[in-house]
Amino acid sequence: MSDDVVTIQRTKLSLINASRSMALMLDKLRSIDATEMGNIRNIVKNIDVESDGIENEKALELIQEIRDADVFNFDQDVVELIKNIESSQSVLDNYINVLKRLV
């Protein structure tokens, strides 16, 4: 076997391992417990309800600042991360297929 073929096969195997690692990351991200996300939403709702009973202007300003900072809105980031990993995995799969045809 020529050095070229060996190098191509090693590269292909590295890409396959990367794709498997991405699949594992996706599984972990998708398995984020929906009840935990529900808990976060309930916390935000409770903050909104509780803030209706607060008259202290400083406390209300702080609560508004927390809302504006999007402290609890990270689920979209997870969705974006999943999309990016899926897209990267698709690109890797294309390269893997091309490398398979070379050897």
Side-chain angles (χ1 to χ4, degrees), residues 53-65:
I54 297 174
E55 293 180 12
N56 182 312
E57 285 299 317
K58 195 91 165 152
L60 289 171
E61 287 175 17
L62 185 59
I63 289 170
Q64 188 58 48
E65 189 176 319

Side-chain angles (χ1 to χ4, degrees), residues 30-48:
R30 287 187 183 118
S31 71
I32 292 174
D33 190 7
T35 58
E36 292 303 322
M37 293 306 296
N39 288 340
I40 295 284
R41 288 186 196 95
N42 286 336
I43 289 168
V44 172
K45 287 178 190 173
N46 289 340
I47 289 171
D48 289 340

Side-chain angles (χ1 to χ4, degrees), residues 30-101:
R30 287 187 183 118
S31 71
I32 292 174
D33 190 7
T35 58
E36 292 303 322
M37 293 306 296
N39 288 340
I40 295 284
R41 288 186 196 95
N42 286 336
I43 289 168
V44 172
K45 287 178 190 173
N46 289 340
I47 289 171
D48 289 340
V49 168
E50 290 166 1
S51 66
D52 290 341
I54 297 174
E55 293 180 12
N56 182 312
E57 285 299 317
K58 195 91 165 152
L60 289 171
E61 287 175 17
L62 185 59
I63 289 170
Q64 188 58 48
E65 189 176 319
I66 291 169
R67 283 187 193 127
D68 292 344
D70 260 350
V71 174
F72 297 109
N73 190 17
F74 56 84
D75 58 329
Q76 187 59 38
D77 294 335
V78 173
V79 171
E80 277 304 308
L81 182 58
I82 288 172
K83 286 180 185 174
N84 287 338
I85 293 171
E86 287 173 337
S87 173
S88 296
Q89 196 173 20
S90 175
V91 170
L92 271 181
D93 290 343
N94 288 336
Y95 284 120
I96 290 167
N97 288 331
V98 171
L99 286 170
K100 282 180 182 176
R101 287 184 287 228

